Amino acid sequence: MKNAILKYQDVALKIQLMIIQQGLAKGTRLANIEDLINQYGVSRSTIMKALDRLERSGVIYQVQGSGIFVRQLKKNDHLNFMESQGFTNDMSKLSGAFVVYHVDTIKPNLYIQEHLQCEAHDDVYYVKRIRYSDGKIYGFEQSYYLKKLVPYLNKEIAEGSIFTYIKDVCGVNVGFSDKYFNVIKLDAKTAGYLDLAENDPALEVEEVFHTTAGEPFDLSRVVYHYENTKFFIQSHLK
Amino acid sequence: MKNAILKYQDVALKIQLMIIQQGLAKGTRLANIEDLINQYGVSRSTIMKALDRLERSGVIYQVQGSGIFVRQLKKNDHLNFMESQGFTNDMSKLSGAFVVYHVDTIKPNLYIQEHLQCEAHDDVYYVKRIRYSDGKIYGFEQSYYLKKLVPYLNKEIAEGSIFTYIKDVCGVNVGFSDKYFNVIKLDAKTAGYLDLAENDPALEVEEVFHTTAGEPFDLSRVVYHYENTKFFIQSHLK
């Protein structure tokens, strides 16, 4: 069930790595498509798909009749808001860690039932943890995983990237997510988890993750520390 | 210079409109690809591109070997964070309006020069406005447009969607944007614009918009009212 990396994904990763390793600046023109085909020894359609992926994820931009250029962010201390899947991809690159309060099996209340499209008798893993990085608190997370799709979870797994585990070990094909967020004033209890004061500001993010088949499997609520986290999104507006 | 709507974009819009008009629920299976080809009288590749676009923008999801399904949000009172281009697409659907404080031509300071990649002697339009909707303040916006690419702007234009004007009248091809955001405590002055108190929380969003050729043309800073705005993003994680 392990998700295979497709050829175009592999090529996309190699191009991205090359940009990072060579430290290419924004606006640098990359090799043209013919050269990339030769360089990576793949078909035109594989290169096109790889470039499309890199364009959508904000690594490059393509100018018709002119070439392929490096896109780069001005600010590197920001977290990628599109990759913060319950604190995974992007944040796992940081020298950070989770402190896990508990991983329990619970029966879902109405709120969870509605978001995970499950029944009152279904089992759900409830994970409560805090993300630290460089000695700073990033956020307080409460997540609910449907046991039907994530058959096993424990404290040790929750100390790392749960998403990597879900994808690689449980074989869940992650498809899409609905993300809702707004700014709040902290209540005393949540403020305590973040080492902040009551009524301090915070970003609250609620996200429902679905498999590629459209089944919700994870409801995640993260409250981010307003002083310790900043975010970016690279949009592709075409 | 007016941007033409491509055939696949037209088909994508028609499918989206059909979903809305028929009020199709999440998980509803759409016609298969053969049927769509017949229904819209276009080629397979046009349908595939239209479906890819709809999938990326969160309207549908495709399950291999199973079909095309409607994706829909649980919460309709949230603003689309990916379409809030300086308060345009999504928000212009609302019964809202801008109150424009001023539209001035200025010389850019270092901060603006850096973000718009321009020189100290270049002219920049500075727009300061507030977005209202249903009698509520949504946000306070300060935007800087490079006159090289946006040759004319006035108060009347700024009372509507500046982006629609820029695209349709100035012929700017909007390509991509870098979006940075974080939560802040309001200073007294900005709080005044939002009818909030000093130290109340807010979401601050800074965005740099680029043409398809990679030239930055708009630097926009919006501070959103924490009680009156909530956001969503529909991610496509594949």
Side-chain angles (χ1 to χ4, degrees):
Chain A
M1 288 277 277
K2 192 156 161 37
N3 300 313
I5 287 191
L6 299 172
K7 200 180 273 183
Y8 80 90
Q9 292 171 327
D10 181 56
V11 171
L13 280 172
K14 281 177 180 160
I15 294 174
Q16 184 168 10
L17 198 65
M18 182 271 294
I19 291 170
I20 294 167
Q21 284 176 335
Q22 301 191 8
L24 301 184
K26 183 180 171 183
T28 305
R29 187 201 303 262
L30 296 185
N32 66 33
I33 289 171
E34 302 305 329
D35 291 339
L36 291 172
I37 290 169
N38 291 330
Q39 196 174 333
Y40 293 100
V42 294
S43 69
R44 171 175 299 269
S45 85
T46 299
I47 287 291
M48 300 300 276
K49 279 177 87 171
L51 292 177
D52 182 56
R53 189 189 179 83
L54 289 171
E55 183 157 34
R56 279 195 273 136
S57 56
V59 177
I60 59 158
Y61 59 96
Q62 303 184 70
V63 183
Q64 205 140 21
S66 176
I68 306 151
F69 298 88
V70 174
R71 197 176 151 184
Q72 216 181 39
L73 284 169
K74 280 238 172 305
K75 302 169 188 187
N76 287 320
D77 57 337
H78 289 57
L79 304 170
N80 188 340
F81 196 62
M82 303 308 278
E83 288 188 359
S84 61
Q85 302 163 6
F87 287 126
T88 48
N89 295 3
D90 192 72
M91 308 204 52
S92 63
K93 284 178 213 149
L94 304 168
S95 58
F98 288 105
V99 169
V100 180
Y101 283 92
H102 57 70
V103 177
D104 293 330
T105 308
I106 61 162
K107 296 292 178 190
N109 63 21
L110 277 175
Y111 166 78
I112 300 166
Q113 284 172 49
E114 196 199 329
H115 284 79
L116 291 180
Q117 290 170 30
C118 66
E119 310 287 330
H121 60 79
D122 285 325
D123 282 327
V124 167
Y125 277 114
Y126 171 39
V127 177
K128 192 159 116 182
R129 55 183 188 169
I130 283 190
R131 173 84 198 201
Y132 289 86
S133 190
D134 298 323
K136 286 179 186 166
I137 298 173
Y138 271 62
F140 171 58
E141 177 192 346
Q142 292 174 285
S143 289
Y144 306 89
Y145 299 89
L146 212 50
K147 208 167 171 176
K148 245 185 329 201
L149 288 159
V150 183
Y152 185 70
L153 212 52
N154 66 15
K155 225 174 151 177
E156 199 191 333
I157 295 164
E159 278 162 5
S161 165
I162 295 179
F163 257 70
T164 301
Y165 165 78
I166 286 178
K167 284 196 267 190
D168 292 351
V169 180
C170 305
V172 171
N173 291 303
V174 180
F176 56 89
S177 82
D178 296 335
K179 208 166 184 147
Y180 305 92
F181 56 101
N182 57 286
V183 169
I184 57 167
K185 284 185 182 175
L186 289 170
D187 59 48
K189 201 175 166 190
T190 310
Y193 284 114
L194 294 172
D195 203 13
L196 287 170
E198 191 176 352
N199 290 324
D200 269 348
L203 187 71
E204 184 177 42
V205 181
E206 182 187 271
E207 191 160 6
V208 182
F209 295 91
H210 301 72
T211 66
T212 47
E215 298 168 285
F217 66 92
D218 172 22
L219 164 64
S220 160
R221 296 181 78 183
V222 181
V223 181
Y224 289 95
H225 192 296
Y226 80 107
E227 289 172 315
N228 298 346
T229 53
K230 297 175 170 197
F231 302 93
F232 74 86
I233 294 176
Q234 290 183 288
S235 302
H236 182 55
L237 306 167
K238 268 191 284 188
Chain B
M1 288 278 276
K2 193 159 160 34
N3 299 314
I5 287 190
L6 299 172
K7 199 180 274 184
Y8 81 91
Q9 292 171 329
D10 181 56
V11 172
L13 280 171
K14 281 177 179 157
I15 294 174
Q16 184 168 10
L17 197 65
M18 182 271 294
I19 291 171
I20 295 167
Q21 284 175 336
Q22 300 191 9
L24 301 183
K26 182 181 172 181
T28 305
R29 189 201 302 262
L30 295 186
N32 65 34
I33 289 170
E34 302 304 327
D35 291 341
L36 292 171
I37 291 169
N38 291 330
Q39 196 173 333
Y40 293 100
V42 294
S43 69
R44 171 175 300 269
S45 85
T46 298
I47 287 290
M48 299 300 275
K49 278 176 88 170
L51 293 176
D52 182 55
R53 189 190 178 83
L54 290 170
E55 183 158 35
R56 279 195 272 136
S57 56
V59 177
I60 60 159
Y61 59 96
Q62 303 185 69
V63 182
Q64 204 140 23
S66 176
I68 305 152
F69 299 88
V70 173
R71 198 176 150 182
Q72 216 182 41
L73 283 171
K74 281 240 171 302
K75 302 168 187 188
N76 287 321
D77 57 338
H78 290 56
L79 304 170
N80 188 340
F81 196 62
M82 303 307 279
E83 286 187 2
S84 61
Q85 302 163 6
F87 288 126
T88 49
N89 295 3
D90 193 71
M91 308 204 50
S92 63
K93 285 176 212 150
L94 304 167
S95 58
F98 288 104
V99 170
V100 180
Y101 283 92
H102 57 71
V103 176
D104 293 330
T105 308
I106 60 162
K107 297 293 178 189
N109 62 21
L110 277 175
Y111 166 79
I112 300 165
Q113 285 173 47
E114 195 199 333
H115 284 79
L116 291 180
Q117 292 170 29
C118 67
E119 311 286 331
H121 60 79
D122 285 327
D123 281 329
V124 167
Y125 277 114
Y126 170 40
V127 177
K128 193 159 115 182
R129 56 183 187 168
I130 283 189
R131 173 84 198 200
Y132 289 86
S133 189
D134 298 323
K136 285 179 188 167
I137 298 174
Y138 271 61
F140 170 58
E141 177 193 345
Q142 293 174 283
S143 289
Y144 306 89
Y145 299 90
L146 212 49
K147 210 166 169 176
K148 244 182 334 200
L149 288 158
V150 183
Y152 184 70
L153 212 52
N154 66 16
K155 224 173 152 179
E156 200 190 333
I157 294 165
E159 278 161 7
S161 166
I162 295 179
F163 257 70
T164 301
Y165 165 78
I166 286 179
K167 284 196 269 192
D168 293 352
V169 180
C170 305
V172 171
N173 291 303
V174 180
F176 56 88
S177 81
D178 296 334
K179 209 166 184 146
Y180 305 92
F181 57 102
N182 57 286
V183 169
I184 57 167
K185 285 185 180 175
L186 289 170
D187 58 50
K189 201 175 166 189
T190 311
Y193 284 114
L194 294 171
D195 203 13
L196 287 171
E198 190 177 354
N199 289 324
D200 269 348
L203 187 70
E204 184 177 41
V205 181
E206 182 187 273
E207 192 160 6
V208 181
F209 295 91
H210 301 72
T211 65
T212 47
E215 298 168 286
F217 66 91
D218 171 23
L219 163 65
S220 160
R221 296 180 78 182
V222 182
V223 181
Y224 289 96
H225 193 295
Y226 81 107
E227 288 172 318
N228 297 347
T229 53
K230 296 174 172 198
F231 302 93
F232 74 86
I233 293 176
Q234 291 184 289
S235 302
H236 182 53
L237 306 167
K238 266 190 286 187

